Structures are given as structure tokens and as C-alpha cells.
Amino acid sequence: MKTAKVIPVFKKGKTDLMSNYRPISLLSIFDKLLEKIVYTRLFSFLSSNNILYEYQFGFRKFHSTSMALIDVVDNIFEHLDNRDIGVSIRIDLQKAFDTLNHEILLKKLDKYGIRGVMFDWIQDYLSNRQQYVSYKIFPLFH
């Protein structure tokens, strides 16, 4: 359950540059089912206790990046109508999920009431994970 098969999926650009590929982790069907069960229970707990931030658009039903963009544009127009001066800072965090500090995540889960068996399972699930890359080399014809 702690080993993922990673396959590189081509995004765009030159095929010989690794930065033009996106890694996709493939898990077993058992892993996927277990993750779905944990997600459902965790999300239910967070929702019923009003823990989720109002502007959390990712990983929520009826929320999307489009809704986040609409919210930003609406906010900009509201400030323009008030003749406010606007400044925008945009940061593109590549591989943002890979930079997630598990210790901080676990402390936040504990703070929000995720304890006991669920906490222990998440802590174990995040530790000592392994992955391997599987790729197939195709001849390039020009």
C-alpha cells in the first residue's frame, strides 16, 4: 500500500525534455478504495464541524478553479468600482503538493480534532512511502 507506480505523461513541448512530462502515480484498486473511504469520512468530519475555509476551492464538491477565478474577478471589479488601487502578486508553485510538510499537516489535523485511529492511519500512510518509475521508450520518427 505504500508503493506507487509512477508513469510520465507527456504535457507539451519537446518530447526529449523531462520537464515536459507530468508524473502520474498509479495505485492499486484497494488503495484507491481505502483512500476514498478515508477521504469521505475526513471530509464529512471537516464539513460538519465547519473547519474548511470558505474559499477552499480544491477537492470540494461544487467548487472548482473556475469558481476561484470568478471570485477573484468579482473582487477586482468591486474594488475598481470603489476606485481603489489594485496590486496583484501571483506565484506559480510548481510541484506544490510535493512541498507539503507532513509534520505541519499532522499537527493541523490534531489541532482540528483528527485523533486516534484515523490520525495514526494518516501518519503511517504518509511515512516511508516508495515509488518507482515505469516508462516505455518509443522510437521517434521524424
Side-chain angles (χ1 to χ4, degrees):
M1 282 186 49
K2 292 188 171 199
T3 303
K5 176 182 180 179
V6 179
I7 59 168
V9 176
F10 181 68
K11 295 185 298 185
K12 61 181 178 180
K14 295 182 178 184
T15 57
D16 59 340
L17 291 176
M18 286 307 296
S19 59
N20 291 335
Y21 290 81
R22 179 174 56 135
I24 302 293
S25 293
L26 301 178
L27 301 173
S28 73
I29 195 72
F30 178 74
D31 291 335
K32 289 181 182 183
L33 288 171
L34 190 56
E35 281 187 7
K36 183 69 172 176
I37 291 167
V38 170
Y39 166 80
T40 302
R41 294 197 60 191
L42 191 56
F43 187 79
S44 175
F45 175 83
L46 296 172
S47 296
S48 65
N49 289 287
N50 292 322
I51 295 172
L52 294 175
Y53 179 55
E54 176 185 0
Y55 295 103
Q56 169 64 45
F57 292 102
F59 307 103
R60 293 179 68 187
K61 202 174 204 175
F62 308 118
H63 290 72
S64 67
T65 53
S66 298
M67 288 184 67
L69 186 58
I70 289 169
D71 186 64
V72 167
V73 170
D74 185 51
N75 195 299
I76 290 169
F77 280 129
E78 180 182 325
H79 285 281
L80 286 174
D81 289 344
N82 293 334
R83 301 197 188 281
D84 292 335
I85 296 173
V87 175
S88 172
I89 298 174
R90 292 169 273 172
I91 301 171
D92 181 15
L93 298 174
Q94 285 187 326
K95 301 178 184 178
F97 188 77
D98 295 337
T99 65
L100 181 68
N101 183 310
H102 292 170
E103 290 302 316
I104 294 172
L105 173 64
L106 291 168
K107 284 179 185 175
K108 285 190 176 208
L109 288 174
D110 181 65
K111 177 185 172 194
Y112 291 127
I114 309 299
R115 297 186 186 98
V117 174
M118 180 63 81
F119 180 88
D120 292 342
W121 184 87
I122 293 170
Q123 184 175 33
D124 182 67
Y125 191 75
L126 292 174
S127 65
N128 301 319
R129 299 197 58 83
Q130 297 179 349
Q131 60 187 14
Y132 66 94
V133 177
S134 176
Y135 63 94
K136 195 172 191 177
I137 299 175
F138 295 99
L140 299 175
F141 299 101
H142 296 292

